[in-house]
């Protein structure tokens, strides 16, 4: 998918891919703005407690770092939104800075989806998807697992292009 072209990383995205990426990045922004709630397990995953045994220490750390971390995550999701073609499919071209922002934003989106989908370190995604398809091929879980897998593929593709 992503390939290196000079100093840029380029991918051609279909209309559906653009829609999915736009939706996912927008949902991350929404989660970090109007939906920001420390009791939400997704927020807990994106902003883990630095001192799990010291709530006062964690609160103090958050007081000084959380705003900048949130802003950075919002900006990274914004980098995806900014680089996507307007409404149709098309080419995405990223410079090194945008590519790094995309990697971080894709990681945040996958972490968030992983929490919602209850994906653990040892989860076999292929088996999970097969099971969901067998239960109901038109279920939202099948779609969400497919998006999760796609984001991983996209992330790996971009990382490999950056390494080459």
């Amino acid at each position: 998918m992503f390939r290196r072209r000079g100093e840029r990383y380029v991918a051609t995205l279909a209309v559906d891919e653009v829609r999915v990426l736009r939706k996912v990045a927008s949902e991350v922004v929404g989660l970090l703005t109007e939906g920001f709630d420390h009791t939400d397990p997704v927020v807990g995953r994106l902003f883990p407690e630095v001192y799990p045994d010291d709530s006062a220490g964690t609160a103090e750390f958050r007081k000084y770092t959380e705003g900048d971390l949130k802003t950075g995550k919002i900006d990274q999701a914004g980098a995806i939104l900014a680089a996507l073609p307007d409404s149709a499919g098309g080419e995405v071209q990223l410079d090194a800075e945008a590519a790094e922002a995309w990697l971080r934003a894709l990681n945040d989106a996958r972490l968030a989806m992983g929490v919602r989908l209850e994906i653990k370190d040892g989860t076999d995604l292929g088996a999970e998807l097969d099971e969901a398809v067998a239960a109901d091929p038109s279920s939202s879980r099948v779609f969400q697992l497919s998006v999760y897998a796609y984001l991983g593929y996209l992330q790996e593709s971009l990382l490999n292009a950056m390494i080459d």
Side-chain angles (χ1 to χ4, degrees):
M1 170 158 283
F2 272 99
R3 63 200 176 284
R4 187 176 200 140
R5 186 187 304 153
E7 295 297 314
R8 298 206 168 264
Y9 307 97
V10 180
T12 302
L13 302 176
V15 172
D16 289 339
E17 291 172 304
V18 171
R19 286 184 188 138
V20 164
L21 288 170
R22 188 174 309 287
K23 176 111 173 96
V24 166
S26 296
E27 286 178 0
V28 169
V29 170
L31 176 73
L32 297 173
T33 54
E34 69 266 2
F36 195 77
D37 175 7
H38 282 287
T39 63
D40 183 340
V42 172
V43 172
R45 182 70 173 104
L46 293 176
F47 296 89
E49 291 191 14
V50 180
Y51 309 111
D53 298 328
D54 179 8
S55 59
T58 294
E60 185 74 9
F61 184 81
R62 279 190 175 141
K63 176 178 157 184
Y64 294 107
T65 62
E66 189 170 81
D68 288 341
L69 290 173
K70 264 184 14 181
T71 299
K73 289 179 181 299
I74 292 166
D75 289 349
Q76 291 157 11
I80 289 178
L81 294 170
L84 291 173
D86 288 335
S87 60
E91 192 172 82
V92 170
Q93 293 189 27
L94 308 174
D95 61 19
E97 185 178 338
E100 287 180 25
W102 268 58
L103 284 177
R104 288 190 297 273
L106 290 169
N107 189 60
D108 285 344
R110 291 189 77 233
L111 287 172
M113 288 189 78
V115 169
R116 296 282 190 247
L117 293 168
E118 298 179 1
I119 294 175
K120 309 291 183 219
D121 284 341
T123 300
D124 179 340
L125 190 57
E128 193 76 23
L129 189 52
D130 288 345
E131 183 179 311
V133 168
D136 179 2
S138 63
S139 72
S140 62
R141 182 159 179 82
V142 170
F143 177 73
Q144 291 167 347
L145 286 168
S146 298
V147 170
Y148 180 84
Y150 169 72
L151 294 176
Y153 167 74
L154 192 62
Q155 189 177 24
E156 182 179 3
S157 169
L158 179 54
L159 184 59
N160 285 337
M162 292 172 75
I163 292 170
D164 288 342

